[in-house]
Amino acid sequence: MAASMWTKLFDRMVGSFLHRGTLIIQLVDGTVLRYGDGQPPEVRVAFHDEDLPRRLLFSPEIVMGEGYMDGTITVENDDLHGLLQVLLGNFPEGAGTWPGLLRMFRKIATPILQFNPTGKARRNVAHHYDLSGEMYELFLDTDKQYSCAYFRTPEVTLEEAQAAKKAHIAGKLLLEPGMKVLDIGCGWGGMALTLARDYGVQVLGVTLSTEQHKVATERAAAAGLSDRVEFRLTDYRNVRETFDRIVSVGMFEHVGAPHYREYFRHMKKLLNPDGVALIHTIGRFSPPGSTSPWITKYIFPGGYCPALSETMAAVEREGLVETDVEIWRLHYAETLRHWQMRFEANIDKVRALYDDRFCRMWRFYLVASEMSFRYGGQCVFQIQLARRQEAVPLTRDYLYVPEARAALRAAE
Amino acid sequence: MAASMWTKLFDRMVGSFLHRGTLIIQLVDGTVLRYGDGQPPEVRVAFHDEDLPRRLLFSPEIVMGEGYMDGTITVENDDLHGLLQVLLGNFPEGAGTWPGLLRMFRKIATPILQFNPTGKARRNVAHHYDLSGEMYELFLDTDKQYSCAYFRTPEVTLEEAQAAKKAHIAGKLLLEPGMKVLDIGCGWGGMALTLARDYGVQVLGVTLSTEQHKVATERAAAAGLSDRVEFRLTDYRNVRETFDRIVSVGMFEHVGAPHYREYFRHMKKLLNPDGVALIHTIGRFSPPGSTSPWITKYIFPGGYCPALSETMAAVEREGLVETDVEIWRLHYAETLRHWQMRFEANIDKVRALYDDRFCRMWRFYLVASEMSFRYGGQCVFQIQLARRQEAVPLTRDYLYVPEARAALRAAE
């Protein structure tokens, strides 16, 4: 097919869905394509490779991400937010509205294999989390919380919102001093250290990242908490003890749908009969389906964004009892906005660690993720689970009403 | 097979699962069978029909319920609570633990067809809700709330707990004066009248029960709310207007799994773009499966108790956004306990309306339901839905924290 034929097909495809906002694309030969209703945001994009229209048809997300990384796609004023708003904002939230043609291409282009034995899990984790620790300090909060913060109002700082997230999760865990807590996917240890310090519990944190394990262990020693917190470089499936509480924040995204039953089966085994667990994970409003192929290729190999239906199906089959499901909307968009602002403020330091392509890749990751929470039907699920329904109070008052919390403590 | 062979098989089956508590069964020929660990509760049952062991093997729930209704199964001191506790309490909560043999019999015995066109829906509803209105007054609260109440503490009265339920749901609906509200399955009108009176909204309530429609309309007139509340004797699928809010309490149980997508498709059509809906329904912790065949035969034809996974699968496919899922545990057990106490206190009046078999049927229904919430893995889901994620505040504070609620009202 001649290049012009591919361009025509590309033009038709974009024209078929892009009705809100304005997108102007300049091709290599100087042709200008216009889409949308002429309303803001108006975004101007230049293609510097004549094969882009064809390649975008077959694999829109990968090629757009790579094009931005490689500089074959440039955006006027580097307005990635505007570009992704125009692209994602044209798909109504929720399910089943991705236009047929694009959906077909998407399906062809994204055969995701989520085969995830412990060895592969470790390699997937190393890909992302073993980046220089310094790198994460350049955009995360001071506690290095690499998951969605809790913004009671948009005005709070990232540090406050991350502290609020940890407190909210601690509330759902119904902690009592001396309890044994397992933190699956403990990151750089912030959650485990906070729970041990503020709630007097014993924590085992497990991670597959050598870098995280090293940093977390050092932090425990520095905080004088080594007697109450242990970090172990291992797969949660290798843990043999049992626990009163289990917390797993930002780890379920790496499990993959074919392994959900295995995940909850292990969780049940690891949990004492009166135990309570809290899973905090990115989720989707739309039906089970593929995760962004660009994200899977460059950022999180093996990553998968669950729908509530498939998550709960595994919970039900493994005989756990769901006791609360909170759905956080827009909190992660705010979190990512903060991360990107810090990233840009430290861009010179990032460039000292990695090359320019890495910087563009990371920017694309942060902005695309933010916009997918604003317009792409992504959210965060906090799923509280137990083995017995009596393990959790009758109402959710204990999470919000100080008197209810106090009554609970008095009853211990 | 000889009767004694069936009895042996029955004996083996009960012996295979009944390990906690004590069950003593006296057969027609005087044989006494003993099960359990000798601990309380100790329940003594007499069979007055020699075919019962065989029939119980094939269809345990139906035959037990019918046996109690017909008097061929009697329980010492009429201790139905104890009997059902011993039976249900031996199955750990949640999924997949029903012993193989019993599960097999259960599967054979319960082919449930949930074909539910509007005509059949009306007949199913008439079966239950067109019973004499007087009958429901003999066990429900004064507002005739025929659904799970909200017990912040076990000490509150049924009237207080039902008022708390309505207030909690109203909170989740984020009502503003003048809003148009649809109440799908409005019962005797208590919810609709409360919302119109206390929150200044316009309500359309729909029901398929002529008895409920008549009573609700009379109540609206008596309360001077006829200008703000309309009750319509129609299927929700026939409603053509759109609404700011939709509430549906204790109706989803009648929809049936094959119709979930249709239900949410209509809900989306009936909801304005910034709309919010709240579904309050009985649910199960275990995977999708059959509903008690005795309940389906005698109490709720066409009824089906949903798992969260199958409900959310339909929500996702119809492109609605889940904004909160609360799981009420044990609230319905408390509600049913209150209902049964009132029922027993009024048993003479019930007997004046219906015969003795009806009384036993109703008692079995109330007690079996209570025990299935205590030991049978049943619960209540409150699912809040929207078309846009921004339709609901960022956190759930507005439901619990007076200042957050006040700030919300000030922002209106």
Side-chain angles (χ1 to χ4, degrees):
Chain A
M1 219 189 284
S4 66
M5 284 302 294
W6 287 113
T7 302
K8 268 185 198 155
L9 198 55
F10 171 81
D11 182 43
R12 213 154 135 185
M13 194 267 281
V14 179
S16 76
F17 76 85
L18 209 155
H19 303 297
R20 286 188 292 179
T22 309
L23 177 65
I24 298 161
I25 301 176
Q26 180 161 20
L27 303 180
V28 176
D29 65 2
T31 312
V32 173
L33 307 173
R34 282 184 163 269
Y35 307 98
D37 56 9
Q39 297 297 310
E42 180 179 297
V43 187
R44 287 168 186 273
V45 171
F47 286 181
H48 307 286
D49 173 347
E50 64 179 15
D51 200 24
L52 276 169
R54 183 188 66 81
R55 292 175 54 224
L56 279 164
L57 274 173
F58 282 97
S59 191
E61 292 180 50
I62 292 258
V63 173
M64 188 167 66
E66 289 180 345
Y68 179 78
M69 287 159 67
D70 297 334
T72 57
I73 296 176
T74 53
V75 189
E76 197 175 270
N77 303 320
D78 216 356
D79 183 14
L80 264 187
H81 280 92
L83 174 61
L84 288 156
Q85 183 182 339
V86 169
L87 291 175
L88 293 171
N90 274 285
F91 302 105
E93 253 164 350
T97 46
W98 198 258
L101 190 64
L102 190 51
R103 190 168 45 205
M104 198 188 72
F105 279 119
R106 201 181 151 87
K107 270 211 175 141
I108 294 166
T110 59
I112 292 181
L113 264 177
Q114 291 164 338
F115 179 60
N116 194 26
T118 58
K120 187 160 176 242
R122 190 183 284 260
R123 284 194 301 281
N124 286 340
V125 163
H127 176 96
H128 191 79
Y129 297 103
D130 284 350
L131 285 174
S132 163
E134 206 185 325
M135 164 67 198
Y136 288 97
E137 279 164 25
L138 296 176
F139 73 97
L140 295 182
D141 68 315
T142 47
D143 193 40
K144 286 179 103 178
Q145 286 293 308
Y146 194 25
S147 57
C148 180
Y150 187 55
F151 288 87
R152 278 214 148 79
T153 67
E155 294 81 36
V156 300
T157 67
L158 180 60
E159 268 69 17
E160 289 167 336
Q162 290 293 10
K165 184 259 301 281
K166 285 179 282 179
H168 197 60
I169 289 175
K172 290 188 177 182
L173 287 172
L174 295 145
L175 299 173
E176 296 169 29
M179 277 185 167
K180 283 184 65 184
V181 179
L182 173 65
D183 182 356
I184 300 178
C186 64
W188 294 279
M191 175 66 73
L193 295 170
T194 302
L195 297 185
R197 188 190 63 217
D198 297 352
Y199 302 88
V201 292
Q202 291 285 133
V203 190
L204 171 64
V206 298
T207 175
L208 290 175
S209 159
T210 48
E211 171 76 19
Q212 290 184 336
H213 177 255
K214 185 172 145 282
V215 171
T217 304
E218 287 165 5
R219 287 178 73 187
L225 288 167
S226 299
D227 56 332
R228 276 196 262 158
V229 184
E230 180 196 350
F231 293 106
R232 213 177 280 171
L233 182 65
T234 190
D235 195 287
Y236 73 100
R237 291 168 283 194
N238 297 328
V239 174
R240 292 289 167 263
E241 300 99 311
T242 63
F243 299 86
D244 304 305
R245 301 293 186 252
I246 297 178
V247 62
S248 185
V249 178
M251 182 276 185
F252 193 68
E253 298 88 325
H254 300 291
V255 172
H259 296 271
Y260 286 174
R261 287 195 59 180
E262 184 186 6
Y263 177 84
F264 291 113
R265 186 158 60 244
H266 278 278
M267 181 158 281
K268 192 174 176 184
K269 256 200 286 189
L270 291 163
L271 207 55
N272 289 331
D274 282 313
V276 176
L278 194 279
I279 326 292
H280 169 114
T281 176
I282 294 174
R284 70 194 316 144
F285 293 123
S286 53
S290 61
T291 296
S292 159
W294 184 85
I295 290 282
T296 314
K297 182 168 179 183
Y298 286 97
I299 310 294
F300 293 112
Y304 176 74
C305 175
L308 198 51
S309 60
E310 58 191 329
T311 308
M312 298 321 297
V315 167
E316 292 157 6
R317 296 221 163 264
E318 294 307 328
L320 285 163
V321 169
E322 63 267 24
T323 51
D324 187 34
V325 181
E326 183 168 7
I327 295 121
W328 286 10
R329 291 145 287 112
L330 295 174
H331 291 268
Y332 221 147
E334 282 302 302
T335 307
L336 284 151
R337 193 174 64 83
H338 279 273
W339 287 351
Q340 201 228 337
M341 287 189 305
R342 292 184 184 210
F343 175 79
E344 303 297 352
N346 289 315
I347 193 74
D348 292 341
K349 291 179 190 162
V350 180
R351 247 186 229 114
L353 290 168
Y354 298 101
D355 65 5
D356 217 55
R357 187 172 187 260
F358 179 91
C359 292
R360 281 199 298 268
M361 177 183 87
W362 209 260
R363 178 181 301 124
F364 189 82
Y365 156 50
L366 293 175
V367 177
S369 298
E370 177 189 339
M371 300 317 264
S372 73
F373 283 95
R374 291 200 195 283
Y375 304 105
Q378 284 201 282
C379 59
V380 166
F381 300 131
Q382 278 199 346
I383 304 170
Q384 189 192 46
L385 300 171
R387 289 181 56 184
R388 298 172 58 242
Q389 59 176 350
E390 295 86 353
V392 174
L394 272 182
T395 74
R396 305 190 296 203
D397 288 354
Y398 69 100
L399 288 173
Y400 301 93
V401 184
E403 299 81 46
R405 216 167 12 238
L408 207 64
R409 259 190 228 118
E412 275 163 23
Chain B
M1 221 189 287
S4 65
M5 285 301 294
W6 288 114
T7 302
K8 270 184 197 154
L9 198 54
F10 170 82
D11 182 43
R12 212 153 136 187
M13 196 267 282
V14 178
S16 75
F17 76 85
L18 209 155
H19 303 297
R20 286 189 290 179
T22 310
L23 176 65
I24 299 161
I25 302 177
Q26 178 160 21
L27 302 180
V28 177
D29 66 2
T31 311
V32 173
L33 308 173
R34 283 183 163 269
Y35 306 98
D37 56 9
Q39 297 298 309
E42 179 179 297
V43 187
R44 289 169 183 273
V45 171
F47 286 1
H48 307 286
D49 174 346
E50 64 179 16
D51 200 24
L52 275 169
R54 185 189 64 84
R55 291 176 55 224
L56 279 165
L57 274 173
F58 283 98
S59 190
E61 292 180 49
I62 293 257
V63 173
M64 188 168 65
E66 288 180 347
Y68 179 78
M69 286 159 66
D70 297 337
T72 58
I73 295 176
T74 52
V75 189
E76 196 176 271
N77 303 322
D78 215 357
D79 184 14
L80 264 188
H81 280 92
L83 174 61
L84 288 156
Q85 182 183 339
V86 169
L87 291 175
L88 293 171
N90 274 286
F91 302 105
E93 255 165 350
T97 46
W98 199 255
L101 189 66
L102 191 51
R103 191 169 45 204
M104 198 188 71
F105 280 119
R106 200 181 152 86
K107 270 214 175 138
I108 294 165
T110 61
I112 292 180
L113 264 176
Q114 291 165 338
F115 179 59
N116 193 25
T118 57
K120 186 159 177 245
R122 189 183 285 261
R123 284 194 301 280
N124 285 342
V125 164
H127 176 95
H128 191 78
Y129 296 103
D130 284 351
L131 285 175
S132 165
E134 205 185 325
M135 163 67 198
Y136 288 97
E137 278 164 26
L138 296 175
F139 72 98
L140 295 182
D141 69 315
T142 48
D143 193 39
K144 287 178 103 176
Q145 288 292 308
Y146 194 24
S147 56
C148 180
Y150 186 55
F151 288 86
R152 277 213 148 82
T153 67
E155 293 82 37
V156 301
T157 67
L158 180 60
E159 268 70 18
E160 289 168 335
Q162 290 292 9
K165 184 258 301 283
K166 286 179 280 179
H168 198 59
I169 289 175
K172 291 189 176 181
L173 287 173
L174 295 146
L175 299 173
E176 298 170 26
M179 277 184 168
K180 283 183 66 184
V181 180
L182 173 65
D183 182 357
I184 300 178
C186 64
W188 294 279
M191 175 65 75
L193 295 170
T194 301
L195 297 185
R197 187 191 63 218
D198 296 352
Y199 302 88
V201 293
Q202 291 285 134
V203 190
L204 171 64
V206 297
T207 175
L208 289 174
S209 158
T210 48
E211 171 78 17
Q212 290 185 334
H213 177 255
K214 184 171 146 283
V215 172
T217 304
E218 286 165 6
R219 287 178 73 188
L225 287 168
S226 300
D227 56 331
R228 275 196 262 160
V229 184
E230 181 197 348
F231 292 107
R232 215 178 277 171
L233 183 64
T234 190
D235 195 287
Y236 73 101
R237 291 168 282 195
N238 298 328
V239 174
R240 292 288 167 263
E241 300 98 310
T242 63
F243 299 85
D244 303 305
R245 300 294 185 253
I246 298 178
V247 62
S248 185
V249 178
M251 182 275 184
F252 192 68
E253 298 88 325
H254 301 290
V255 172
H259 295 272
Y260 286 175
R261 286 195 60 180
E262 184 187 5
Y263 177 84
F264 291 113
R265 187 158 59 244
H266 278 279
M267 181 158 281
K268 191 174 178 184
K269 257 200 285 189
L270 290 162
L271 207 56
N272 289 331
D274 282 313
V276 176
L278 195 280
I279 326 292
H280 170 115
T281 177
I282 294 174
R284 72 195 313 145
F285 293 123
S286 53
S290 61
T291 296
S292 159
W294 184 85
I295 290 282
T296 314
K297 182 169 178 183
Y298 286 97
I299 309 294
F300 294 112
Y304 176 74
C305 174
L308 198 51
S309 61
E310 58 190 330
T311 309
M312 298 321 296
V315 167
E316 292 158 6
R317 296 222 163 262
E318 294 307 327
L320 284 163
V321 169
E322 63 268 23
T323 50
D324 187 35
V325 180
E326 184 168 5
I327 295 122
W328 286 10
R329 292 145 286 113
L330 295 175
H331 290 270
Y332 220 145
E334 282 303 301
T335 307
L336 283 151
R337 193 176 62 85
H338 279 273
W339 287 351
Q340 199 227 337
M341 287 189 304
R342 292 185 183 209
F343 175 79
E344 303 298 351
N346 289 314
I347 194 74
D348 292 341
K349 292 180 189 161
V350 180
R351 246 186 230 115
L353 290 168
Y354 298 101
D355 64 6
D356 217 53
R357 187 172 187 262
F358 179 93
C359 292
R360 282 199 298 268
M361 176 182 88
W362 210 260
R363 178 180 302 124
F364 190 81
Y365 156 50
L366 294 174
V367 177
S369 298
E370 177 190 339
M371 299 318 263
S372 73
F373 283 95
R374 292 201 194 282
Y375 305 104
Q378 283 201 282
C379 60
V380 166
F381 299 131
Q382 280 199 345
I383 303 170
Q384 188 191 45
L385 300 170
R387 289 181 55 184
R388 299 174 55 243
Q389 59 176 350
E390 295 86 351
V392 174
L394 272 180
T395 73
R396 305 190 296 202
D397 288 353
Y398 69 99
L399 288 173
Y400 301 93
V401 185
E403 300 81 47
R405 218 169 9 240
L408 207 66
R409 259 189 228 118
E412 276 165 18

